[in-house]
């Protein structure tokens, strides 16, 4: 049982906290990078094509290149042109060139008759179908897709595989994009040991570090591992200073009211401006958020709670949207859906609450609360695939009530 709320402590609401994070998470300065590194990023320039596409009149079928106005029923085949070759001979009345898809059209030809519509009637002699041949049949004309100088993709476009293909076609090996945010990760606590190490009495493994690293990667950021920080002002000062070189610094632990919770003081001493500390959220109350601003750049600092479930919930609610915004994707808020409760639910209120739960049935979503002990119960969270969103007010919900859920 958690102690009753201390009403003397000011807590920021989840909505207000989201608004404050969104306000500070401005898109990063554009950078030129390799096209190969750009999928999923936001383009930061208008891109024009330097070439016509296709760059020549191109056969769109394997067949015979002919002049559409030529009435001769039979044609002498004068040469074969493969993709990558250049035709050497012009098509004249009574002749045709055997041509493969992708090859440049020979002079004098303006249509391709596919092989399957022709008949071999002698050595290098073919018969064409009775149906009239239209100019341009099965020919992709020069510049018909894109003209040189034309804008092919506008600034602020998200680079999906299709856009990458278009940029490759246009010969753009390097492009200007909003880069991925760099996110330094610093779990703190004297009790923490790294994953590969043996746990002695009184110690626990650092699960937040790997969890947050994976979460940053999944959210499109580049994680930077700062190791584990001890509850020691000097050590924290040194590690935090390094972390402030990144676009975002994620700390975990040391932000509550304990004697060795040194993170807020250390951040203030270094000059990180606190925007809010403690929010009306369960789990996740101790969250600390601040900004270090210099003339040319800024670092967003999140002091996440030490308890792994709290840390995860705060990441999903605040850090994930912030990373999206830094990468230029714009503010989206929390993307909630709805589901019907599989059983009754008693919510005692006090703080906005995000309860681990499992939803099923795409067509008519039903959600079941996952039993869990407290915000240190990471194992219970593994059974969840969403969080049921409950308000700060107390609620008695019947089975079948529709509630908002946040997918995780
Ligand atoms: P704190 O906010 O530092 O008081 O930490 C709250 C709780 O979270 C304590 O029980 C810590 O042992 C636990 N905790 C802190 N950091 C981590 C971490 N990196 N991994 C797992 N548990 C942690
Ligand atoms: Mg601690």
């Amino acid at each position: 049982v958690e102690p009753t709320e201390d009403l003397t402590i000011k807590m920021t609401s989840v909505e207000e906290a989201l608004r404050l994070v969104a306000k500070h998470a401005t898109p990063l300065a554009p950078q030129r990078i390799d096209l190969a590194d750009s999928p999923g990023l936001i383009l930061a320039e208008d891109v024009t094509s330097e070439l016509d596409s296709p760059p020549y009149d191109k056969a769109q079928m394997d067949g015979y290149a002919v002049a559409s106005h030529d009435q001769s029923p039979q044609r002498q085949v004068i040469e074969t042109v493969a993709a990558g070759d250049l035709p050497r001979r012009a098509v004249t009345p009574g002749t045709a060139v055997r041509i493969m898809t992708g090859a440049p059209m020979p002079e004098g030809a303006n249509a391709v008759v596919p092989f399957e519509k022709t008949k071999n009637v002698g050595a290098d002699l073919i018969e064409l179908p009775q149906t009239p041949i239209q100019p341009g049949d099965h020919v992709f004309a020069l510049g018909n897709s894109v003209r040189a100088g034309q804008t092919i993709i506008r600034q602020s476009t998200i680079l999906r595989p299709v856009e990458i293909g278009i940029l490759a076609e246009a010969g753009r090996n390097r492009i200007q994009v909003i880069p991925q945010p760099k996110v330094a990760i610093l779990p703190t606590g004297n009790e923490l040991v790294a994953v590969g190490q043996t746990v002695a009495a009184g110690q626990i493994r650092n699960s937040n570090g790997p969890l947050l690293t994976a979460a940053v990667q999944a959210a499109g950021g580049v994680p930077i591992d700062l190791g584990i920080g001890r509850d020691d002002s000097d050590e924290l000062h040194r590690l935090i200073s390094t972390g402030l070189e990144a676009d975002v610094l994620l700390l975990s632990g040391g932000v509550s009211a304990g004697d060795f919770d040194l993170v807020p003081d250390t951040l203030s001493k270094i000059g990180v401006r606190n925007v809010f500390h403690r929010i009306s959220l369960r789990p996740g109350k101790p969250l600390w958020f601040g900004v270090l601003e210099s003339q040319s750049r800024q670092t967003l600092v999140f002091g996440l709670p030490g308890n792994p479930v709290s840390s995860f919930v705060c990441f999903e609610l605040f850090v994930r949207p912030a990373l999206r915004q830094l990468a230029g994707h714009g503010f989206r808020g929390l993307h909630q859906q709805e589901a019907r409760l599989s059983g009754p639910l008693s919510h005692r209120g006090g703080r906005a609450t995000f309860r681990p739960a499992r939803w099923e049935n795409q067509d008519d979503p039903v959600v079941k609360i996952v039993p869990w002990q407290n915000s240190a119960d990471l194992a219970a969270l593994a059974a969840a695939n969403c969080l049921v969103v409950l308000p700060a007010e107390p609620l008695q919900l019947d089975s079948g009530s529709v509630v908002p859920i946040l997918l995780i």
Side-chain angles (χ1 to χ4, degrees):
V1 176
E2 280 185 53
T4 39
E5 298 294 350
D6 178 353
L7 297 176
T8 61
I9 295 177
K10 181 188 165 286
M11 291 189 289
T12 306
S13 71
V14 169
E15 295 72 31
E16 176 68 358
L18 264 172
R19 196 187 65 74
L20 289 167
V21 171
K23 187 178 123 186
H24 289 93
T26 47
L28 299 174
Q31 272 177 19
R32 276 179 94 71
I33 66 165
D34 284 346
L35 180 63
D37 296 328
S38 72
L41 303 187
I42 297 288
L43 187 65
E45 59 172 327
D46 284 344
V47 173
T48 54
S49 180
E50 55 174 17
L51 295 176
D52 291 319
S53 175
Y56 49 84
D57 289 342
K58 183 170 133 182
Q60 275 299 95
M61 292 285 273
D62 300 315
Y64 292 99
V66 298
S68 62
H69 51 269
D70 184 355
Q71 299 295 323
S72 354
Q74 296 192 341
R75 311 285 164 100
Q76 193 67 44
V77 181
I78 53 173
E79 77 167 333
T80 298
V81 187
D85 286 352
L86 290 176
R88 281 160 302 159
R89 300 189 56 186
V91 169
T92 52
T95 71
V97 160
R98 207 175 151 84
I99 194 164
M100 307 303 140
T101 305
M105 292 290 286
E107 232 185 281
N110 65 352
V112 173
V113 181
F115 286 143
E116 49 273 33
K117 292 194 176 162
T118 66
K119 238 190 334 200
N120 288 321
V121 288
D124 292 332
L125 194 65
I126 54 156
E127 196 167 283
L128 298 183
Q130 300 295 310
T131 45
I133 299 162
Q134 302 298 332
D137 273 359
H138 307 300
V139 176
F140 196 10
L142 181 147
N144 224 350
S145 177
V146 175
R147 279 289 175 194
Q150 184 184 330
T151 301
I152 44 175
I153 310 182
R154 298 216 171 270
Q155 180 168 348
S156 303
T157 304
I158 178 163
L159 298 174
R160 305 170 304 168
V162 171
E163 282 75 23
I164 302 298
I166 295 169
L167 290 166
E169 188 179 9
R172 291 301 305 270
N173 220 5
R174 304 267 300 166
I175 46 165
Q176 183 102 334
V177 297
I178 311 281
Q180 291 179 277
K182 293 190 180 64
V183 185
I185 299 171
L186 179 59
T188 71
N190 282 346
E191 73 279 34
L192 302 178
V193 297
V195 192
Q197 285 172 4
T198 313
V199 179
Q203 296 185 321
I204 59 165
R205 288 226 171 78
N206 164 30
S207 51
N208 287 348
L211 185 156
L212 292 170
T213 301
V216 165
Q217 277 166 336
V222 179
I224 300 165
D225 182 1
L226 296 181
I228 295 170
R230 303 289 134 200
D231 295 319
D232 171 272
S233 293
D234 291 343
E235 178 166 331
L236 286 177
H237 196 291
R238 185 173 58 77
L239 288 168
I240 287 171
S241 300
T242 304
L244 288 170
E245 288 164 22
D247 301 308
V248 179
L249 169 59
L250 296 184
L251 293 125
S252 91
V255 288
S256 298
D259 293 348
F260 303 97
D261 290 337
L262 306 171
V263 167
D265 272 359
T266 311
L267 287 167
S268 298
K269 268 186 206 134
I270 296 176
V272 181
R273 178 169 63 81
N274 180 241
V275 177
F276 62 78
H277 186 193
R278 292 185 199 91
I279 57 176
S280 177
L281 171 65
R282 182 185 295 117
K285 180 167 111 177
L287 180 65
W288 192 102
F289 173 67
V291 191
L292 180 76
E293 275 151 340
S294 75
Q295 262 167 358
S296 55
R297 57 180 301 278
Q298 65 166 18
T299 303
L300 302 183
V301 181
F302 292 89
L304 302 171
N307 275 308
V309 181
S310 313
S311 203
F312 173 75
V313 167
C314 287
F315 184 94
E316 289 299 307
L317 262 53
F318 303 104
V319 184
R320 182 187 286 279
L323 296 184
R324 264 186 66 84
Q325 269 188 275
L326 292 178
H329 294 280
F331 180 68
R332 193 173 58 170
L334 296 181
H335 189 65
Q336 295 177 9
Q337 301 183 24
E338 288 187 329
R340 286 185 300 108
L341 282 174
S342 70
L345 177 63
S346 169
H347 169 54
R348 70 186 152 108
R351 282 182 264 157
T353 299
F354 290 72
R355 284 283 293 270
R358 185 158 194 94
W359 75 279
E360 266 156 35
N361 192 354
Q362 204 98 40
D363 300 328
D364 182 15
V366 172
V367 65
K368 189 175 181 183
I369 301 291
V370 166
W372 71 314
Q373 304 305 314
N374 55 51
S375 54
D377 193 357
L378 192 56
L381 194 60
N385 61 5
C386 69
L387 302 168
V388 168
V389 185
L390 298 163
E393 295 74 42
L395 276 182
Q396 292 299 326
L397 294 167
D398 296 331
S399 179
S401 303
V402 175
V403 288
I405 60 172
L406 187 70
L407 305 194
I408 56 173

